[in-house]
Amino acid sequence: MIFLIKLIAIDIDGTITFFDRKLDTLAVDALRKAEAAGVKVSLATGNILLFAEAAAVLVGASGPIIAEDGGIVFDQVSKKEKLLGDRKEVDKGLAILRKRFWPLKETRNSPQRLTGLTFEKTVSVADVQKVLSGEGLNLIAVDSGFAIHIREPQLNKGSALKEVSAMTGIPLKDIAAIGDGPNDVEMLRAAGVSFAVANAPNVVKEASTSATKSAHGKGVAEAVDSILNSRVFP
């Protein structure tokens, strides 16, 4: 298969990091290789924007940033930040969940979020979703592998990737995506070509066009090499 890939959107935790969230430098080398070849890299994460922006600088990723699971898109060129939602419904859900699962412990940066929230995995994502649905709230709960994320269903990395496409003028078919978690599924489906690293669960691999043989950074390097080696240079 021949790609005309101009941008790679990639998850952070579990994809360019190990499970302990330490950066896998093999991934950094691969992403810098892509940037050097003229392919922009966009970090797409469930983390808050400040974290993602700092990570982009350190990694050398020049493309727009997707933060808060698609709730925010930040253009590093124009420095414009676009919110794709808010916390009104989420805060209603938080109040209910706190009563039902007391004590519910939010992650350190959860109060800083503008479009969703995250809390530690002290309860199952299925139980959280059951409560939210039972209360008639238009919210979904997703286990990222590192925390439980609560957000509105239309806010996801896939819808945010469409914003990145519009922002950069790069068609979705010319965008590749790489990820490892359930919160990456919509992005992997939206991209023209997508890779699940080997440590991803089956639901993520099934949403991708390919799965790498290796995990974490080595898997990222495998995916990037595949993209660059199969890329048609205009």
Side-chain angles (χ1 to χ4, degrees), residues 104-174:
L104 187 71
K105 189 173 182 181
E106 289 185 76
T107 63
R108 179 178 171 83
N109 61 34
S110 183
Q112 302 171 38
R113 292 173 179 265
L114 303 177
T115 63
L117 63 87
T118 53
F119 53 87
E120 295 182 4
K121 296 168 62 175
T122 55
V123 294
S124 75
V125 70
D127 286 343
V128 171
Q129 187 63 66
K130 184 177 180 180
V131 170
L132 295 175
S133 299
E135 292 291 335
L137 294 170
N138 187 32
L139 297 171
I140 61 170
V142 179
D143 184 348
S144 70
F146 296 86
I148 294 178
H149 296 230
I150 305 297
R151 55 178 167 80
E152 295 176 300
Q154 76 275 14
L155 299 182
N156 57 66
K157 294 182 184 181
S159 56
L161 193 63
K162 294 176 183 177
E163 290 290 335
V164 169
S165 175
M167 191 177 285
T168 60
I170 299 174
L172 285 170
K173 66 181 180 63
D174 295 336

Short mmCIF file of all heavy atoms in Angstrom, two decimals, residues 104-174:
data_model
loop_
_atom_site.label_atom_id
_atom_site.label_comp_id
_atom_site.label_asym_id
_atom_site.label_seq_id
_atom_site.Cartn_x
_atom_site.Cartn_y
_atom_site.Cartn_z
N LEU A 104 -14.36 9.17 45.87
CA LEU A 104 -13.91 9.11 44.48
C LEU A 104 -12.72 10.05 44.34
O LEU A 104 -12.83 11.25 44.61
CB LEU A 104 -15.04 9.56 43.55
CG LEU A 104 -14.80 9.41 42.05
CD1 LEU A 104 -14.84 7.94 41.67
CD2 LEU A 104 -15.85 10.18 41.26
N LYS A 105 -11.58 9.52 43.94
CA LYS A 105 -10.36 10.32 43.91
C LYS A 105 -10.03 10.76 42.49
O LYS A 105 -9.64 9.95 41.65
CB LYS A 105 -9.19 9.54 44.50
CG LYS A 105 -7.94 10.39 44.71
CD LYS A 105 -6.88 9.61 45.46
CE LYS A 105 -5.65 10.49 45.72
NZ LYS A 105 -4.59 9.74 46.43
N GLU A 106 -10.18 12.05 42.23
CA GLU A 106 -9.80 12.59 40.92
C GLU A 106 -8.28 12.56 40.77
O GLU A 106 -7.55 12.62 41.76
CB GLU A 106 -10.28 14.03 40.76
CG GLU A 106 -11.78 14.19 40.61
CD GLU A 106 -12.17 15.62 40.34
OE1 GLU A 106 -11.98 16.10 39.21
OE2 GLU A 106 -12.65 16.28 41.28
N THR A 107 -7.81 12.49 39.54
CA THR A 107 -6.38 12.59 39.31
C THR A 107 -5.93 14.01 39.62
O THR A 107 -6.74 14.93 39.71
CB THR A 107 -6.03 12.26 37.85
OG1 THR A 107 -6.64 13.21 36.98
CG2 THR A 107 -6.50 10.85 37.48
N ARG A 108 -4.65 14.18 39.77
CA ARG A 108 -4.10 15.46 40.19
C ARG A 108 -4.52 16.63 39.29
O ARG A 108 -4.81 17.72 39.75
CB ARG A 108 -2.56 15.36 40.23
CG ARG A 108 -1.85 16.65 40.62
CD ARG A 108 -0.34 16.43 40.67
NE ARG A 108 0.38 17.67 40.85
CZ ARG A 108 0.59 18.26 42.01
NH1 ARG A 108 0.13 17.70 43.11
NH2 ARG A 108 1.27 19.39 42.11
N ASN A 109 -4.57 16.37 37.97
CA ASN A 109 -4.87 17.48 37.06
C ASN A 109 -6.35 17.54 36.65
O ASN A 109 -6.73 18.40 35.87
CB ASN A 109 -3.99 17.43 35.80
CG ASN A 109 -4.19 16.17 34.98
OD1 ASN A 109 -5.30 15.64 34.91
ND2 ASN A 109 -3.14 15.69 34.34
N SER A 110 -7.18 16.66 37.18
CA SER A 110 -8.58 16.63 36.79
C SER A 110 -9.30 17.97 37.01
O SER A 110 -10.04 18.42 36.13
CB SER A 110 -9.33 15.52 37.53
OG SER A 110 -10.67 15.44 37.11
N PRO A 111 -9.10 18.65 38.14
CA PRO A 111 -9.79 19.93 38.34
C PRO A 111 -9.39 21.01 37.32
O PRO A 111 -10.13 21.97 37.12
CB PRO A 111 -9.36 20.34 39.76
CG PRO A 111 -9.01 19.06 40.43
CD PRO A 111 -8.37 18.24 39.36
N GLN A 112 -8.25 20.84 36.67
CA GLN A 112 -7.79 21.82 35.69
C GLN A 112 -8.40 21.61 34.30
O GLN A 112 -8.24 22.44 33.41
CB GLN A 112 -6.27 21.76 35.58
CG GLN A 112 -5.53 22.00 36.88
CD GLN A 112 -4.05 21.70 36.76
OE1 GLN A 112 -3.43 21.99 35.74
NE2 GLN A 112 -3.46 21.11 37.78
N ARG A 113 -9.09 20.50 34.13
CA ARG A 113 -9.63 20.16 32.81
C ARG A 113 -10.81 21.06 32.45
O ARG A 113 -11.61 21.43 33.30
CB ARG A 113 -10.03 18.68 32.77
CG ARG A 113 -8.81 17.78 32.84
CD ARG A 113 -9.18 16.31 32.97
NE ARG A 113 -7.97 15.51 33.01
CZ ARG A 113 -7.43 14.93 31.94
NH1 ARG A 113 -8.03 15.04 30.77
NH2 ARG A 113 -6.31 14.25 32.04
N LEU A 114 -10.92 21.35 31.16
CA LEU A 114 -11.95 22.25 30.67
C LEU A 114 -13.12 21.53 30.01
O LEU A 114 -14.19 22.10 29.85
CB LEU A 114 -11.34 23.24 29.66
CG LEU A 114 -10.16 24.09 30.17
CD1 LEU A 114 -9.61 24.96 29.06
CD2 LEU A 114 -10.60 24.94 31.35
N THR A 115 -12.92 20.27 29.61
CA THR A 115 -13.97 19.58 28.86
C THR A 115 -14.30 18.19 29.39
O THR A 115 -15.16 17.51 28.82
CB THR A 115 -13.56 19.45 27.38
OG1 THR A 115 -12.39 18.63 27.28
CG2 THR A 115 -13.29 20.81 26.76
N GLY A 116 -13.66 17.74 30.42
CA GLY A 116 -13.91 16.41 30.96
C GLY A 116 -13.26 16.28 32.31
O GLY A 116 -12.80 17.28 32.89
N LEU A 117 -13.20 15.06 32.81
CA LEU A 117 -12.50 14.83 34.08
C LEU A 117 -11.92 13.42 34.09
O LEU A 117 -12.28 12.57 33.28
CB LEU A 117 -13.45 15.01 35.27
CG LEU A 117 -14.65 14.08 35.41
CD1 LEU A 117 -14.28 12.80 36.16
CD2 LEU A 117 -15.77 14.78 36.16
N THR A 118 -11.01 13.20 35.00
CA THR A 118 -10.37 11.90 35.15
C THR A 118 -10.27 11.55 36.63
O THR A 118 -10.04 12.43 37.46
CB THR A 118 -8.96 11.87 34.52
OG1 THR A 118 -8.18 12.95 35.06
CG2 THR A 118 -9.03 12.02 33.01
N PHE A 119 -10.41 10.26 36.95
CA PHE A 119 -10.21 9.84 38.32
C PHE A 119 -9.55 8.48 38.36
O PHE A 119 -9.51 7.75 37.37
CB PHE A 119 -11.51 9.87 39.13
CG PHE A 119 -12.65 9.12 38.53
CD1 PHE A 119 -12.83 7.78 38.77
CD2 PHE A 119 -13.58 9.79 37.74
CE1 PHE A 119 -13.90 7.09 38.24
CE2 PHE A 119 -14.66 9.11 37.20
CZ PHE A 119 -14.82 7.76 37.45
N GLU A 120 -8.99 8.16 39.51
CA GLU A 120 -8.23 6.93 39.66
C GLU A 120 -9.13 5.71 39.54
O GLU A 120 -10.34 5.77 39.81
CB GLU A 120 -7.49 6.95 41.01
CG GLU A 120 -6.43 8.04 41.09
CD GLU A 120 -5.68 8.03 42.40
OE1 GLU A 120 -5.92 7.12 43.23
OE2 GLU A 120 -4.85 8.93 42.60
N LYS A 121 -8.53 4.61 39.13
CA LYS A 121 -9.29 3.39 38.83
C LYS A 121 -9.62 2.59 40.10
O LYS A 121 -9.20 1.46 40.28
CB LYS A 121 -8.51 2.55 37.83
CG LYS A 121 -8.33 3.23 36.49
CD LYS A 121 -7.32 2.51 35.60
CE LYS A 121 -7.76 1.11 35.28
NZ LYS A 121 -6.86 0.45 34.31
N THR A 122 -10.41 3.21 40.98
CA THR A 122 -10.84 2.54 42.21
C THR A 122 -12.19 1.86 42.03
O THR A 122 -12.63 1.11 42.89
CB THR A 122 -10.91 3.54 43.37
OG1 THR A 122 -11.78 4.63 42.98
CG2 THR A 122 -9.53 4.11 43.69
N VAL A 123 -12.86 2.16 40.93
CA VAL A 123 -14.12 1.50 40.57
C VAL A 123 -14.01 1.09 39.11
O VAL A 123 -13.16 1.59 38.37
CB VAL A 123 -15.33 2.44 40.76
CG1 VAL A 123 -15.52 2.75 42.23
CG2 VAL A 123 -15.17 3.73 39.97
N SER A 124 -14.88 0.19 38.68
CA SER A 124 -14.81 -0.27 37.30
C SER A 124 -15.48 0.73 36.36
O SER A 124 -16.43 1.42 36.74
CB SER A 124 -15.49 -1.63 37.15
OG SER A 124 -16.89 -1.50 37.18
N VAL A 125 -14.96 0.80 35.14
CA VAL A 125 -15.53 1.70 34.15
C VAL A 125 -16.97 1.29 33.82
O VAL A 125 -17.82 2.14 33.54
CB VAL A 125 -14.64 1.75 32.88
CG1 VAL A 125 -14.70 0.43 32.12
CG2 VAL A 125 -15.02 2.91 31.98
N ALA A 126 -17.26 0.00 33.90
CA ALA A 126 -18.62 -0.49 33.63
C ALA A 126 -19.60 0.03 34.68
O ALA A 126 -20.73 0.44 34.35
CB ALA A 126 -18.64 -2.01 33.60
N ASP A 127 -19.18 0.02 35.95
CA ASP A 127 -20.05 0.52 37.02
C ASP A 127 -20.27 2.03 36.89
O ASP A 127 -21.38 2.53 37.13
CB ASP A 127 -19.44 0.21 38.39
CG ASP A 127 -19.56 -1.26 38.76
OD1 ASP A 127 -20.37 -1.97 38.13
OD2 ASP A 127 -18.81 -1.70 39.66
N VAL A 128 -19.23 2.73 36.51
CA VAL A 128 -19.35 4.18 36.31
C VAL A 128 -20.33 4.47 35.17
O VAL A 128 -21.22 5.33 35.28
CB VAL A 128 -17.97 4.81 36.01
CG1 VAL A 128 -18.12 6.27 35.58
CG2 VAL A 128 -17.08 4.72 37.23
N GLN A 129 -20.18 3.76 34.06
CA GLN A 129 -21.07 3.97 32.92
C GLN A 129 -22.52 3.63 33.26
O GLN A 129 -23.46 4.32 32.82
CB GLN A 129 -20.61 3.13 31.72
CG GLN A 129 -21.38 3.42 30.43
CD GLN A 129 -21.19 4.85 29.95
OE1 GLN A 129 -20.09 5.24 29.58
NE2 GLN A 129 -22.26 5.64 29.97
N LYS A 130 -22.71 2.60 34.06
CA LYS A 130 -24.06 2.20 34.46
C LYS A 130 -24.75 3.31 35.24
O LYS A 130 -25.93 3.61 35.02
CB LYS A 130 -23.99 0.93 35.30
CG LYS A 130 -25.35 0.37 35.68
CD LYS A 130 -25.20 -0.93 36.46
CE LYS A 130 -26.56 -1.50 36.85
NZ LYS A 130 -26.42 -2.78 37.61
N VAL A 131 -24.00 3.96 36.13
CA VAL A 131 -24.56 5.05 36.92
C VAL A 131 -24.89 6.25 36.03
O VAL A 131 -25.97 6.84 36.11
CB VAL A 131 -23.59 5.48 38.04
CG1 VAL A 131 -24.06 6.77 38.70
CG2 VAL A 131 -23.46 4.36 39.08
N LEU A 132 -23.96 6.61 35.16
CA LEU A 132 -24.17 7.77 34.28
C LEU A 132 -25.38 7.56 33.37
O LEU A 132 -26.21 8.46 33.20
CB LEU A 132 -22.92 8.01 33.43
CG LEU A 132 -21.65 8.41 34.18
CD1 LEU A 132 -20.47 8.48 33.22
CD2 LEU A 132 -21.82 9.75 34.88
N SER A 133 -25.48 6.36 32.81
CA SER A 133 -26.61 6.06 31.92
C SER A 133 -27.92 6.01 32.70
O SER A 133 -28.96 6.49 32.23
CB SER A 133 -26.38 4.72 31.22
OG SER A 133 -25.21 4.76 30.42
N GLY A 134 -27.86 5.45 33.91
CA GLY A 134 -29.05 5.35 34.74
C GLY A 134 -29.60 6.71 35.15
O GLY A 134 -30.80 6.86 35.37
N GLU A 135 -28.72 7.69 35.23
CA GLU A 135 -29.13 9.05 35.59
C GLU A 135 -29.53 9.87 34.36
O GLU A 135 -29.88 11.05 34.48
CB GLU A 135 -27.99 9.77 36.33
CG GLU A 135 -27.68 9.18 37.69
CD GLU A 135 -28.78 9.43 38.70
OE1 GLU A 135 -29.54 10.40 38.53
OE2 GLU A 135 -28.89 8.64 39.66
N GLY A 136 -29.47 9.25 33.19
CA GLY A 136 -29.86 9.94 31.96
C GLY A 136 -28.87 10.99 31.49
O GLY A 136 -29.24 11.90 30.75
N LEU A 137 -27.61 10.85 31.92
CA LEU A 137 -26.59 11.82 31.52
C LEU A 137 -25.95 11.43 30.19
O LEU A 137 -25.64 10.26 29.96
CB LEU A 137 -25.51 11.92 32.60
CG LEU A 137 -25.98 12.50 33.94
CD1 LEU A 137 -24.89 12.33 34.99
CD2 LEU A 137 -26.35 13.96 33.80
N ASN A 138 -25.78 12.40 29.32
CA ASN A 138 -25.18 12.15 28.02
C ASN A 138 -23.65 12.17 28.15
O ASN A 138 -22.98 13.08 27.66
CB ASN A 138 -25.64 13.20 27.01
CG ASN A 138 -25.18 12.89 25.59
OD1 ASN A 138 -25.06 11.73 25.21
ND2 ASN A 138 -24.93 13.93 24.81
N LEU A 139 -23.14 11.17 28.86
CA LEU A 139 -21.70 11.08 29.13
C LEU A 139 -21.24 9.65 28.93
O LEU A 139 -22.02 8.71 29.08
CB LEU A 139 -21.40 11.50 30.58
CG LEU A 139 -21.71 12.93 30.99
CD1 LEU A 139 -21.55 13.09 32.50
CD2 LEU A 139 -20.80 13.92 30.26
N ILE A 140 -19.96 9.49 28.60
CA ILE A 140 -19.39 8.15 28.51
C ILE A 140 -18.16 8.06 29.42
O ILE A 140 -17.49 9.06 29.69
CB ILE A 140 -19.00 7.78 27.06
CG1 ILE A 140 -17.95 8.74 26.50
CG2 ILE A 140 -20.23 7.75 26.17
CD1 ILE A 140 -17.37 8.27 25.18
N ALA A 141 -17.92 6.85 29.88
CA ALA A 141 -16.74 6.57 30.70
C ALA A 141 -15.81 5.67 29.90
O ALA A 141 -16.25 4.68 29.32
CB ALA A 141 -17.16 5.89 31.99
N VAL A 142 -14.54 6.04 29.87
CA VAL A 142 -13.55 5.27 29.11
C VAL A 142 -12.35 4.99 30.00
O VAL A 142 -11.84 5.90 30.68
CB VAL A 142 -13.09 6.03 27.85
CG1 VAL A 142 -12.05 5.22 27.08
CG2 VAL A 142 -14.27 6.34 26.95
N ASP A 143 -11.89 3.76 30.00
CA ASP A 143 -10.68 3.39 30.72
C ASP A 143 -9.50 3.54 29.77
O ASP A 143 -9.37 2.80 28.81
CB ASP A 143 -10.79 1.94 31.20
CG ASP A 143 -9.60 1.51 32.05
OD1 ASP A 143 -8.59 2.23 32.09
OD2 ASP A 143 -9.68 0.43 32.66
N SER A 144 -8.65 4.53 30.02
CA SER A 144 -7.50 4.78 29.14
C SER A 144 -6.36 3.81 29.40
O SER A 144 -5.37 3.78 28.68
CB SER A 144 -6.98 6.22 29.32
OG SER A 144 -6.38 6.36 30.59
N GLY A 145 -6.50 3.04 30.49
CA GLY A 145 -5.41 2.18 30.92
C GLY A 145 -4.65 2.80 32.08
O GLY A 145 -3.97 2.11 32.84
N PHE A 146 -4.79 4.10 32.24
CA PHE A 146 -4.10 4.83 33.30
C PHE A 146 -5.08 5.51 34.26
O PHE A 146 -4.75 5.79 35.40
CB PHE A 146 -3.16 5.88 32.70
CG PHE A 146 -2.05 5.28 31.89
CD1 PHE A 146 -2.23 4.97 30.55
CD2 PHE A 146 -0.82 4.98 32.47
CE1 PHE A 146 -1.21 4.39 29.80
CE2 PHE A 146 0.20 4.41 31.73
CZ PHE A 146 0.01 4.10 30.39
N ALA A 147 -6.29 5.80 33.77
CA ALA A 147 -7.32 6.45 34.58
C ALA A 147 -8.66 6.25 33.89
O ALA A 147 -8.73 5.80 32.73
CB ALA A 147 -7.03 7.95 34.73
N ILE A 148 -9.75 6.57 34.60
CA ILE A 148 -11.07 6.56 33.99
C ILE A 148 -11.40 7.98 33.56
O ILE A 148 -11.30 8.91 34.35
CB ILE A 148 -12.13 6.01 34.95
CG1 ILE A 148 -11.86 4.53 35.24
CG2 ILE A 148 -13.53 6.20 34.37
CD1 ILE A 148 -12.82 3.90 36.21
N HIS A 149 -11.76 8.14 32.30
CA HIS A 149 -12.07 9.45 31.74
C HIS A 149 -13.57 9.57 31.55
O HIS A 149 -14.21 8.65 31.03
CB HIS A 149 -11.39 9.62 30.37
CG HIS A 149 -9.90 9.61 30.44
ND1 HIS A 149 -9.12 10.59 29.85
CD2 HIS A 149 -9.02 8.75 31.01
CE1 HIS A 149 -7.84 10.33 30.05
NE2 HIS A 149 -7.76 9.22 30.76
N ILE A 150 -14.13 10.70 31.94
CA ILE A 150 -15.54 11.00 31.74
C ILE A 150 -15.63 12.19 30.79
O ILE A 150 -15.00 13.22 31.00
CB ILE A 150 -16.25 11.37 33.07
CG1 ILE A 150 -16.05 10.27 34.11
CG2 ILE A 150 -17.74 11.62 32.81
CD1 ILE A 150 -16.66 8.96 33.75
N ARG A 151 -16.43 12.03 29.74
CA ARG A 151 -16.56 13.11 28.76
C ARG A 151 -17.87 12.96 27.99
O ARG A 151 -18.53 11.92 28.06
CB ARG A 151 -15.39 13.09 27.78
CG ARG A 151 -15.18 11.76 27.07
CD ARG A 151 -14.03 11.82 26.08
NE ARG A 151 -13.59 10.53 25.60
CZ ARG A 151 -14.18 9.82 24.65
NH1 ARG A 151 -15.27 10.30 24.08
NH2 ARG A 151 -13.70 8.65 24.26
N GLU A 152 -18.22 14.00 27.26
CA GLU A 152 -19.37 13.93 26.37
C GLU A 152 -19.00 13.04 25.19
O GLU A 152 -17.85 13.06 24.73
CB GLU A 152 -19.76 15.33 25.91
CG GLU A 152 -20.26 16.23 27.04
CD GLU A 152 -20.55 17.64 26.56
OE1 GLU A 152 -19.63 18.30 26.06
OE2 GLU A 152 -21.71 18.07 26.69
N PRO A 153 -19.95 12.26 24.66
CA PRO A 153 -19.63 11.29 23.61
C PRO A 153 -19.10 11.88 22.32
O PRO A 153 -18.32 11.24 21.61
CB PRO A 153 -20.95 10.55 23.39
CG PRO A 153 -22.01 11.44 23.94
CD PRO A 153 -21.36 12.17 25.07
N GLN A 154 -19.50 13.12 22.00
CA GLN A 154 -19.02 13.72 20.75
C GLN A 154 -17.59 14.23 20.86
O GLN A 154 -16.98 14.57 19.84
CB GLN A 154 -19.95 14.86 20.30
CG GLN A 154 -19.79 16.16 21.08
CD GLN A 154 -20.59 16.22 22.35
OE1 GLN A 154 -21.09 15.19 22.82
NE2 GLN A 154 -20.74 17.40 22.92
N LEU A 155 -17.06 14.28 22.07
CA LEU A 155 -15.68 14.71 22.28
C LEU A 155 -14.78 13.49 22.30
O LEU A 155 -14.81 12.69 23.24
CB LEU A 155 -15.54 15.48 23.59
CG LEU A 155 -16.36 16.75 23.74
CD1 LEU A 155 -16.06 17.42 25.07
CD2 LEU A 155 -16.08 17.72 22.60
N ASN A 156 -14.01 13.32 21.27
CA ASN A 156 -13.07 12.20 21.20
C ASN A 156 -11.94 12.57 20.26
O ASN A 156 -11.99 13.59 19.55
CB ASN A 156 -13.78 10.92 20.75
CG ASN A 156 -14.48 11.07 19.42
OD1 ASN A 156 -13.84 11.24 18.39
ND2 ASN A 156 -15.81 10.99 19.41
N LYS A 157 -10.92 11.76 20.24
CA LYS A 157 -9.75 12.08 19.42
C LYS A 157 -10.05 12.02 17.93
O LYS A 157 -9.37 12.66 17.14
CB LYS A 157 -8.60 11.13 19.77
CG LYS A 157 -8.04 11.30 21.18
CD LYS A 157 -6.86 10.37 21.42
CE LYS A 157 -6.35 10.45 22.84
NZ LYS A 157 -5.19 9.57 23.07
N GLY A 158 -11.09 11.27 17.56
CA GLY A 158 -11.47 11.20 16.16
C GLY A 158 -12.08 12.49 15.66
O GLY A 158 -11.70 13.01 14.59
N SER A 159 -13.01 13.06 16.42
CA SER A 159 -13.61 14.33 16.03
C SER A 159 -12.57 15.44 16.08
O SER A 159 -12.58 16.36 15.24
CB SER A 159 -14.80 14.67 16.93
OG SER A 159 -14.43 14.68 18.29
N ALA A 160 -11.65 15.36 17.04
CA ALA A 160 -10.58 16.35 17.13
C ALA A 160 -9.64 16.23 15.93
O ALA A 160 -9.11 17.24 15.45
CB ALA A 160 -9.81 16.18 18.43
N LEU A 161 -9.42 15.00 15.45
CA LEU A 161 -8.56 14.82 14.29
C LEU A 161 -9.15 15.49 13.06
O LEU A 161 -8.41 16.01 12.20
CB LEU A 161 -8.33 13.33 14.02
CG LEU A 161 -7.20 13.00 13.03
CD1 LEU A 161 -5.85 13.47 13.57
CD2 LEU A 161 -7.16 11.50 12.74
N LYS A 162 -10.47 15.53 12.98
CA LYS A 162 -11.12 16.24 11.88
C LYS A 162 -10.83 17.74 11.97
O LYS A 162 -10.67 18.41 10.95
CB LYS A 162 -12.63 15.97 11.90
CG LYS A 162 -12.97 14.51 11.60
CD LYS A 162 -14.46 14.26 11.72
CE LYS A 162 -14.76 12.78 11.50
NZ LYS A 162 -16.20 12.46 11.68
N GLU A 163 -10.76 18.26 13.18
CA GLU A 163 -10.40 19.66 13.39
C GLU A 163 -8.96 19.91 12.96
O GLU A 163 -8.64 20.93 12.35
CB GLU A 163 -10.59 20.05 14.85
CG GLU A 163 -12.02 20.13 15.32
CD GLU A 163 -12.77 21.31 14.72
OE1 GLU A 163 -12.12 22.31 14.35
OE2 GLU A 163 -14.00 21.22 14.61
N VAL A 164 -8.09 18.97 13.29
CA VAL A 164 -6.68 19.08 12.87
C VAL A 164 -6.60 19.08 11.35
O VAL A 164 -5.84 19.86 10.74
CB VAL A 164 -5.85 17.92 13.45
CG1 VAL A 164 -4.47 17.87 12.82
CG2 VAL A 164 -5.73 18.06 14.96
N SER A 165 -7.38 18.23 10.71
CA SER A 165 -7.41 18.17 9.25
C SER A 165 -7.82 19.52 8.66
O SER A 165 -7.19 20.02 7.72
CB SER A 165 -8.38 17.07 8.80
OG SER A 165 -8.53 17.06 7.39
N ALA A 166 -8.88 20.10 9.22
CA ALA A 166 -9.35 21.40 8.74
C ALA A 166 -8.33 22.50 9.02
O ALA A 166 -8.11 23.40 8.19
CB ALA A 166 -10.69 21.73 9.39
N MET A 167 -7.70 22.42 10.17
CA MET A 167 -6.73 23.42 10.59
C MET A 167 -5.49 23.43 9.71
O MET A 167 -4.94 24.49 9.38
CB MET A 167 -6.34 23.13 12.04
CG MET A 167 -5.55 24.17 12.76
SD MET A 167 -5.26 23.66 14.49
CE MET A 167 -6.88 23.95 15.20
N THR A 168 -5.05 22.25 9.30
CA THR A 168 -3.82 22.12 8.52
C THR A 168 -4.05 22.03 7.03
O THR A 168 -3.11 22.20 6.24
CB THR A 168 -3.04 20.86 8.95
OG1 THR A 168 -3.87 19.71 8.73
CG2 THR A 168 -2.65 20.94 10.42
N GLY A 169 -5.30 21.75 6.64
CA GLY A 169 -5.58 21.56 5.22
C GLY A 169 -5.14 20.19 4.72
O GLY A 169 -5.10 19.95 3.51
N ILE A 170 -4.81 19.29 5.64
CA ILE A 170 -4.39 17.94 5.26
C ILE A 170 -5.60 17.00 5.34
O ILE A 170 -6.19 16.85 6.41
CB ILE A 170 -3.28 17.42 6.20
CG1 ILE A 170 -2.05 18.33 6.12
CG2 ILE A 170 -2.88 15.99 5.83
CD1 ILE A 170 -0.96 17.98 7.13
N PRO A 171 -6.00 16.38 4.24
CA PRO A 171 -7.15 15.47 4.27
C PRO A 171 -6.92 14.32 5.24
O PRO A 171 -5.78 13.88 5.44
CB PRO A 171 -7.24 14.97 2.82
CG PRO A 171 -6.48 15.97 2.00
CD PRO A 171 -5.39 16.48 2.90
N LEU A 172 -7.99 13.81 5.81
CA LEU A 172 -7.87 12.69 6.74
C LEU A 172 -7.20 11.48 6.10
O LEU A 172 -6.48 10.74 6.76
CB LEU A 172 -9.26 12.28 7.26
CG LEU A 172 -9.89 13.22 8.30
CD1 LEU A 172 -11.35 12.84 8.53
CD2 LEU A 172 -9.12 13.17 9.62
N LYS A 173 -7.41 11.30 4.80
CA LYS A 173 -6.80 10.16 4.12
C LYS A 173 -5.28 10.27 4.08
O LYS A 173 -4.58 9.27 3.87
CB LYS A 173 -7.35 10.03 2.71
CG LYS A 173 -6.99 11.18 1.77
CD LYS A 173 -7.62 10.97 0.40
CE LYS A 173 -7.27 12.12 -0.54
NZ LYS A 173 -5.83 12.22 -0.82
N ASP A 174 -4.76 11.47 4.29
CA ASP A 174 -3.31 11.69 4.29
C ASP A 174 -2.75 11.81 5.70
O ASP A 174 -1.63 12.32 5.90
CB ASP A 174 -2.95 12.95 3.47
CG ASP A 174 -3.30 12.81 2.00
OD1 ASP A 174 -3.37 11.66 1.52
OD2 ASP A 174 -3.51 13.83 1.33
#
